[in-house]
């Protein structure tokens, strides 16, 4: 009996270890890049091209003697001009000249100063905690912002497969909310080569991964700032379409709303709005309607169907906001 119990324990550990080895891209809200299969095909060599005879030399033609040009007829001095005189432009009143409309003003910050969110990460197929995550934000008086997110394996998962990934988003507040300028990605302390740099003067983003440049729509976000841009949408309960830069590509996400939900998290009970964005992974975000629309639950589902859920355990630096009714910014 004792041997059976030990064998069962070993099998259980092996099963959990095998499942934990699959923790990688899905935990970070990314899909594993697909490599195209290698294909080889044997084809016969093409037949040799027929010989082309050399061209015959062109006959030499003696150039004809050019005749002197005929003298141009004299033009009478009193011939009337066929070009109508152009009237000088009328003076333009500077006050009536068209003035370009002023640039729209940046939106006010939904969060002031700095703050922090802490999450526990659960792999749903295992029903166990496999990591933790921490989000930090800083909003300065000059309109600039910095967002930082860290997610890493913990406990048994960290012993079997230690992973740590960091995202950083820097930018400014613009007329559509957050306006990212730089997006940085680090894996285990090293750059992943998946940075993105935005140029809003040309409405373009450059991806470090392949050097490609893409035109972006107003209001486009990076993978991290998307979670906090939801606070600036006028009516998120009606859904929206938003551009997202993941570090690998630029996509247009359709944001679907599933209405209000009361959720229980380690940090407490929250009245939330459940939103879903389908891209290279399925992302679901629950924003707290009474806490500045901060994300208090995040779920990523990868292409294999594995789901990773983040539940808020701590909320620092953001005092409860007045109760917010949907339909009001």
């Amino acid at each position: 009996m004792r041997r059976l119990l030990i064998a069962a324990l070993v099998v259980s550990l092996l099963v959990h270890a095998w499942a934990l080895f699959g923790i990688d891209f899905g935990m970070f809200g990314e899909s594993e890049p697909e490599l195209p299969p290698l294909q080889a095909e044997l084809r016969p060599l093409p037949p040799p091209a027929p010989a082309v005879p050399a061209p015959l030399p062109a006959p030499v033609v003696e150039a004809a003697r050019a005749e002197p040009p005929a003298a141009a007829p004299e033009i009478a001095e009193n011939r009337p001009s066929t070009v109508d005189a152009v009237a000088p432009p009328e003076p333009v009143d500077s006050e009536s000249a068209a003035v370009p409309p002023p640039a729209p003003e940046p939106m006010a910050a939904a969060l002031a100063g700095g703050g922090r969110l802490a999450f526990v990460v659960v792999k749903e197929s295992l029903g166990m905690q496999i990591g933790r995550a921490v989000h930090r934000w800083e909003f300065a008086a000059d309109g600039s912002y910095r967002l930082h997110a860290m997610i890493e394996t913990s406990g048994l998962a960290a012993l079997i497969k230690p992973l740590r990934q960091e995202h950083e988003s820097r930018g400014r507040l613009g007329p559509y909310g957050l306006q990212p300028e730089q997006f940085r990605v680090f894996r285990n302390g090293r750059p992943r080569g998946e940075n993105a740099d935005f140029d809003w003067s040309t409405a373009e983003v450059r991806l470090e991964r392949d050097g490609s440049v893409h035109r972006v729509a107003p209001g486009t976000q990076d993978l991290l700032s998307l979670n906090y841009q939801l606070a600036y949408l006028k009516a998120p309960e009606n859904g929206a379409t938003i551009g997202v830069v993941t570090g690998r590509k630029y996509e247009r996400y359709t944001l679907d709303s599933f209405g209000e939900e009361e959720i229980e998290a380690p940090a407490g009970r929250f009245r939330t709005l459940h939103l879903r964005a389908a891209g290279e992974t399925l992302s679901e975000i629950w924003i707290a309607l009474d806490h500045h629309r901060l994300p208090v639950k995040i779920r990523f589902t990868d292409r294999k169907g594995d789901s990773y859920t983040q539940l808020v355990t701590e909320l620092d630096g953001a005092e409860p906001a007045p109760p917010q009714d949907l339909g009001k910014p």
Side-chain angles (χ1 to χ4, degrees), residues 14-31:
L14 289 175
V15 170
H16 280 79
W18 178 263
L20 290 173
F21 267 112
I23 297 171
D24 197 347
F25 294 94
M27 177 177 172
F28 306 118
E30 304 171 353
S31 63

Side-chain angles (χ1 to χ4, degrees), residues 108-114 137-140 147 173 228 231-232 291-292 294 317-318:
L111 295 169
W137 66 83
E138 298 174 6
F139 286 86
L147 303 173
L173 283 167
Y228 296 88
Y232 297 90
H291 291 78
H292 307 280
L294 286 170

